Amino acid sequence: MSDSSRPGSANSNDTFNISESLVPPRELKTAGQSQVSFDGLLQQPLLLKEDLKEGCGGQLWPAGMVLAKYLLRRHQSTLVDKTIVELGAGGGLVGLAIASGCKIGPSPIYITDQSPMLSLMEANIVLNSLSSTVQAAVLDWGEPIPNIIPKHPDIILAADCVYFEPAFPLLISTLHELLGPDSVCYFCFKKRRRADLRFLKIAKKAFQLSEISDDPDAETYKRENIFVYAIRSKLGTNSKNIARC
């Protein structure tokens, strides 16, 4: 879970036209299995296979841990009757944590990523006996949303999806497709370089962004340059139909 990359410095005068690198370096772990309980928020620890042979999404990253812990703490009982989709799920950490520790249903949680991650997502669903509440699916950013995915889901989860700059417009496009007037995306990322702030600048033009303000751990993870936002469509929201940040 450690990450040795250093965020690039930035200030209000930066134009964000040039990034320091397209893919910042990350410290990778060997394949194995992790067990996480999120400081006791889960009664039964979550088991996660980690395997990097298909890409860096195959291991746990700090933003996923932060987002899962926030949702388990603050939205344990507010997700009932919500349709939920996780983007860039990797092994499925956030979606599986929510399925294990929050009140959800009757719709399953859809954890999605590119096709190389599908078998790892499916293996982790089975490993945690969550086949009845979680479904894995392939969703390529920038491509048409598969029919299996709910149209305009109530809740979208995205953790550590900001690390590959050429994918920024694809992610923005997919968020445009998924976000309905009553949708909210809980978006967590670790700022590693100036390009990450460029993504925020683009997202603020396209959507309504508000930084999460009700997380008691916020001051701790902000020191590690990790941030959590609620992203909504500019079409407007109905506060009765979405979980509030």
Side-chain angles (χ1 to χ4, degrees):
M1 278 169 45
S2 66
D3 190 328
S4 60
S5 60
R6 302 296 300 171
S9 61
N11 57 47
S12 60
N13 295 322
D14 285 323
T15 60
F16 311 124
N17 288 330
I18 302 174
S19 67
E20 294 175 348
S21 65
L22 291 180
V23 184
R26 292 179 164 197
E27 182 180 318
L28 303 180
K29 297 196 301 186
T30 56
Q33 182 172 299
S34 294
Q35 179 175 294
V36 290
S37 66
F38 303 98
D39 295 334
L41 290 172
L42 289 182
Q43 292 184 350
Q44 175 131 2
L46 197 65
L47 303 177
L48 278 302
K49 288 185 178 179
E50 300 183 74
D51 191 347
L52 298 203
K53 70 177 183 293
E54 298 295 350
C56 64
Q59 75 175 61
L60 307 186
W61 293 104
M65 299 293 290
V66 165
L67 182 58
K69 189 174 179 182
Y70 165 73
L71 291 164
L72 288 168
R73 175 181 282 148
R74 305 301 297 182
H75 291 283
Q76 194 272 338
S77 60
T78 65
L79 304 180
V80 178
D81 295 326
K82 307 296 183 186
T83 49
I84 303 173
V85 175
E86 181 179 4
L87 300 178
L93 169 69
V94 181
L96 293 171
I98 301 318
S100 297
C102 294
K103 297 176 182 177
I104 62 167
S107 298
I109 292 177
Y110 293 88
I111 58 175
T112 73
D113 209 311
Q114 293 181 304
S115 57
M117 290 291 108
L118 182 61
S119 61
L120 184 60
M121 291 189 291
E122 291 176 334
N124 282 330
I125 290 171
V126 172
L127 186 62
N128 291 280
S129 302
L130 291 172
S131 298
S132 63
T133 53
V134 182
Q135 185 164 347
V138 173
L139 193 162
D140 293 311
W141 301 345
E143 297 294 324
I145 304 299
N147 291 333
I148 191 176
I149 302 300
K151 181 179 176 63
H152 298 160
D154 297 300
I155 307 293
I156 302 164
L157 309 173
D160 224 341
C161 290
V162 178
Y163 63 91
F164 185 52
E165 189 173 358
F168 289 178
L170 305 180
L171 178 55
I172 292 290
S173 173
T174 292
L175 287 173
H176 266 302
E177 277 205 70
L178 287 175
L179 283 168
D182 297 327
S183 304
V184 59
C185 173
Y186 292 108
F187 192 94
C188 184
F189 77 104
K190 178 165 182 168
K191 181 174 74 67
R192 296 179 173 89
R193 73 249 195 262
R194 283 195 296 262
D196 300 339
L197 297 182
R198 178 174 173 270
F199 176 84
L200 277 187
K201 186 177 179 180
I202 296 169
K204 285 177 180 178
K205 289 182 179 179
F207 311 109
Q208 296 182 43
L209 263 70
S210 57
E211 192 168 353
I212 293 297
S213 60
D214 64 342
D215 192 342
D217 287 342
E219 292 306 313
T220 299
Y221 57 69
K222 282 181 182 180
R223 289 196 290 269
E224 300 298 324
N225 288 306
I226 297 174
F227 303 90
V228 185
Y229 286 87
I231 300 179
R232 295 182 172 89
S233 168
K234 287 188 174 181
L235 297 177
T237 59
N238 183 338
S239 60
K240 295 182 180 180
N241 292 332
I242 60 175
R244 306 303 297 175
C245 66

